[in-house]
Amino acid sequence: MKGILLAGGRGTRLYPATIALCKQLLPVYDKPMIYYPLSVLMQAGIRDILIISTPEDISRFERLFGDGEQLGLHFEYAVQPKPQGLAQAFLVGADFVGNEPVALILGDNLFYGNQFPMILQEGAALTEGGLIFGYQVKDPQRYGVVHFDAQMRVLGIEEKPRHPKSSYAVPGLYFYGPDVVQIAGSLKPSGRGELEITDVNRVYFEQGRLHVRLLGRGHAWLDTGTFDALHQAASFVQAIQERQGIKIACIEEIAYQMGYIDHQQLFKLADRYAQNEYGEYLKKIENITARRLK
């Protein structure tokens, strides 16, 4: 499976912080925002990743990640000239996707939870149809909303409904078969002038090929698109990391744990950060590994 990381948009809800810098490069506590969705794709076992961003910002991501080789990944980059909906990502990335299934994740979404990597890897095994997630929120009218029956069969999907039929929002993580490019190409723009991801999901639903998996109390989903949400996400990450002594979305650590890089490559990456706390964390992992190898 391939992965698309959509890091476009104007970030107007975060002005003036994002006037000269895209929101996906803002820090969420101790690392760039984009590290969090990237870590999700990596934990799913996806190594072939397309990053889509604006004409002004795409070079910044290229400078940050390069071709991905240092992480055992392969990155490609594409420009979204004008933000015209989430489903536009599949048209921008059509050549990249080819005839393979694909995962799409939004660049301002953070996920965390027990057994979540296992859930991701199950999603990455999808070969046809669509898989979305449901997460209970108190304000579902702000999101795409899914409702279903007792057997978890999807009954309908709505985009930002005024009167939601359930409290389950659809987070910004989606798994699709290779026909998603064709489906996206068949959509008509919504009243907002955008190609809506909800309409992609609705096509799969009408074909009887859309599945939903709930993320329960053991999981966290945070959308970092506002100042309050950004602050909440940073506080969440800080609390977990200081309490447990681990780092959330440490892409170098994940690359090593997933077998994308070896012990020596991890050492080189740790050395990159000199004497800061992030580098010290990677060196601690490297030292533990070195003792095990003796």
Side-chain angles (χ1 to χ4, degrees), residues 5 30 40 62 64-65 72 112 120 124-125 127 130 176 182 189 193 205 220 261 267 289 292:
L5 202 168
D30 61 348
V40 169
E62 290 180 298
L64 179 62
F65 295 124
Y112 183 77
L120 293 173
T127 58
Y176 299 114
Q182 179 182 358
F205 162 63
I261 61 175
F267 179 81
T289 302
R292 288 175 179 172

Side-chain angles (χ1 to χ4, degrees), residues 189-238:
S190 66
R192 302 191 300 168
E194 297 188 353
L195 300 178
E196 305 284 359
I197 197 70
T198 295
D199 290 336
V200 171
N201 293 330
R202 190 174 290 117
V203 171
Y204 280 110
F205 162 63
E206 291 172 352
Q207 295 175 350
R209 299 192 298 138
L210 182 68
H211 306 280
V212 61
R213 176 156 186 169
L214 298 187
L215 299 177
R217 292 190 177 186
H219 300 91
W221 166 53
L222 300 169
D223 176 349
T224 55
T226 67
F227 285 112
D228 285 345
L230 188 63
H231 177 73
Q232 290 168 3
S235 297
F236 175 84
V237 171
Q238 180 188 28

Side-chain angles (χ1 to χ4, degrees), residues 27-93:
V28 177
Y29 188 52
D30 61 348
K31 58 190 75 70
M33 184 187 297
I34 196 172
Y35 275 38
Y36 297 88
L38 174 58
S39 72
V40 169
L41 295 180
M42 293 174 67
Q43 290 177 89
I46 297 171
R47 303 175 69 174
D48 200 1
I49 299 169
L50 175 69
I51 296 177
I52 298 177
S53 191
T54 66
E56 298 80 15
D57 295 320
I58 197 69
S59 62
R60 294 178 174 135
F61 292 108
E62 290 180 298
R63 187 161 61 250
L64 179 62
F65 295 124
D67 62 6
E69 182 181 6
Q70 75 278 9
L71 293 169
L73 306 174
H74 171 72
F75 285 127
E76 294 185 29
Y77 299 88
V79 169
Q80 185 183 33
K82 183 180 179 181
Q84 295 179 316
L86 303 185
Q88 187 187 28
F90 299 112
L91 304 183
V92 174

Side-chain angles (χ1 to χ4, degrees), residues 26 54 125 153 191-192 224 238 242 273 279 287:
L26 293 176
T54 66
R153 292 185 295 245
R192 302 191 300 168
T224 55
Q238 180 188 28
E242 291 193 357
Y273 296 100
N287 288 334

Side-chain angles (χ1 to χ4, degrees), residues 263-291:
H263 168 69
Q264 292 181 336
Q265 290 169 300
L266 178 64
F267 179 81
K268 291 179 181 179
L269 290 172
D271 197 51
R272 174 186 183 186
Y273 296 100
Q275 299 302 315
N276 72 5
E277 192 270 339
Y278 193 89
E280 291 299 320
Y281 177 79
L282 290 179
K283 288 179 180 178
K284 181 176 70 174
I285 297 170
E286 187 271 330
N287 288 334
I288 292 173
T289 302
R291 289 196 296 270

Side-chain angles (χ1 to χ4, degrees), residues 135-143 145 166-170 221:
Y135 188 86
Q136 191 167 12
V137 296
K138 69 176 183 179
D139 50 356
Q141 64 273 10
R142 293 180 50 208
Y143 306 96
V145 175
S166 86
S167 60
Y168 284 93
V170 179
W221 166 53

